[in-house]
Structure formats: C-alpha cells, structure tokens
Amino acid sequence: MMCGPAGAGKSTVARRLEGEGWHRLSFDDVAWSRGLRSHPLADADAEAVRAAVRAELLDLVGQGRDVVVDSASWSRASRDEYRALLATEGVVPLTCYVETPREVALSRVAARRGSGPHDLELPPGVAAAYVDGFEVPTAEEGPLVVVPGG
C-alpha cells in the first residue's frame, strides 16, 4: 500500500513494482477513466472510486496476485480501512511511505499540466493542504518501509 502526499513519487515507485510483476491499482487511474479531472473529488465520486479500487483489490488478492495500491492513503484511518479489508483475506499489507521534502512535492505538483491521471493539476493552496495534512505512518500501524522520494 503506497502512501505519501501529492507529488511524493508514489506512482513512480508503484510503476517499478508493476515492472516486477505486481498488479498496480491506482485511485487516480480509476478516477480519470470515469472522467473525473479535478481534485478534490466530490464525496460521492471519491467513494465510488474507492469502492471500485477495493473491489478489484479483493478480486486480485483472491486470485493470489501481488498488488500495489497506488493511492495517497493520506490518513491513518484510510490505511486502517485497507488493513481491515485485507484482514478478511488473511493478508497483512506492507505500507510503503514515499518520504519527500515538502518543497520537492509542491514543486512537482506545480509542474503538472493535466495530461493524465498522474499529472493532475492542483491549485497551490490545495496542493499545500494535501502535503501539510498528510499523516505520516508509523511502525505501530504495521509493516512499514520508507522510500526516499526526492
């Protein structure tokens, strides 16, 4: 389970895992495929995207596939939801926190041009709120690896 604020580099790390044979599930890809191009999403849209990701995750895990969830997982509560969901399948997920300096993450977001699901433009205030509101995971949540993102 990837986690980190916007611009941290989560999708880059997730794509590396995909290249190693993991199935990558992306919140942003699902939102983009539904025509959702601006963030934050309306509550109903966000919940529909989350439900689609959760359903596919359970299907893939049920098939015995290695899966990386490419999403911000910005709060402990959101990470706990995935842990509870996967516990029903006997799976303890690894949290992969992409640790990136604030200024690097914000610079990356500022350079976005809206060309795809991982290039979503965010107003500077929204981007800053995403970075500043991110809840850094701790080892007490469960298995954790910290990856430098920039």
Side-chain angles (χ1 to χ4, degrees), residues 96-133:
C96 181
Y97 168 48
V98 182
E99 185 177 47
T100 305
R102 182 181 194 277
E103 57 280 356
V104 172
L106 291 176
S107 172
R108 289 175 180 166
V109 172
R112 293 178 177 178
R113 296 297 169 248
S115 66
H118 302 282
D119 192 44
L120 288 172
E121 294 179 281
L122 296 173
V126 170
Y130 283 178
V131 172
D132 296 340

Side-chain angles (χ1 to χ4, degrees), residues 1-11 13 27-28 69-76 78-79 95-102 105-106 108-109 112 122 127 129-137 141 144-149:
M1 168 174 47
M2 301 304 305
C3 78
K10 299 176 300 294
S11 295
V13 175
F27 181 94
D28 290 337
V69 178
D70 182 4
S71 183
S73 298
W74 72 271
S75 68
R76 179 171 182 165
S78 66
R79 295 185 296 269
T95 300
C96 181
Y97 168 48
V98 182
E99 185 177 47
T100 305
R102 182 181 194 277
L106 291 176
R108 289 175 180 166
V109 172
R112 293 178 177 178
L122 296 173
Y130 283 178
V131 172
D132 296 340
F134 181 79
E135 296 176 9
V136 175
E141 292 182 38
L144 172 67
V145 63
V146 178
V147 176

Side-chain angles (χ1 to χ4, degrees), residues 3-88:
C3 78
K10 299 176 300 294
S11 295
T12 299
V13 175
R15 283 190 195 102
R16 272 189 247 144
L17 291 170
E18 186 177 33
E20 295 173 11
W22 291 61
H23 185 93
R24 185 176 60 87
L25 282 179
S26 166
F27 181 94
D28 290 337
D29 285 349
V30 173
W32 188 268
S33 74
R34 293 173 180 221
L36 304 169
R37 303 287 194 263
S38 62
H39 284 255
L41 297 179
D43 289 344
D45 289 332
E47 183 50 40
V49 171
R50 279 192 296 272
V53 170
R54 287 189 301 253
E56 189 172 357
L57 175 60
L58 287 176
D59 180 55
L60 290 164
V61 168
Q63 295 173 37
R65 302 277 308 269
D66 289 325
V67 181
V68 57
V69 178
D70 182 4
S71 183
S73 298
W74 72 271
S75 68
R76 179 171 182 165
S78 66
R79 295 185 296 269
D80 285 346
E81 286 177 15
Y82 277 106
R83 285 187 197 92
L85 178 69
L86 290 168
T88 66

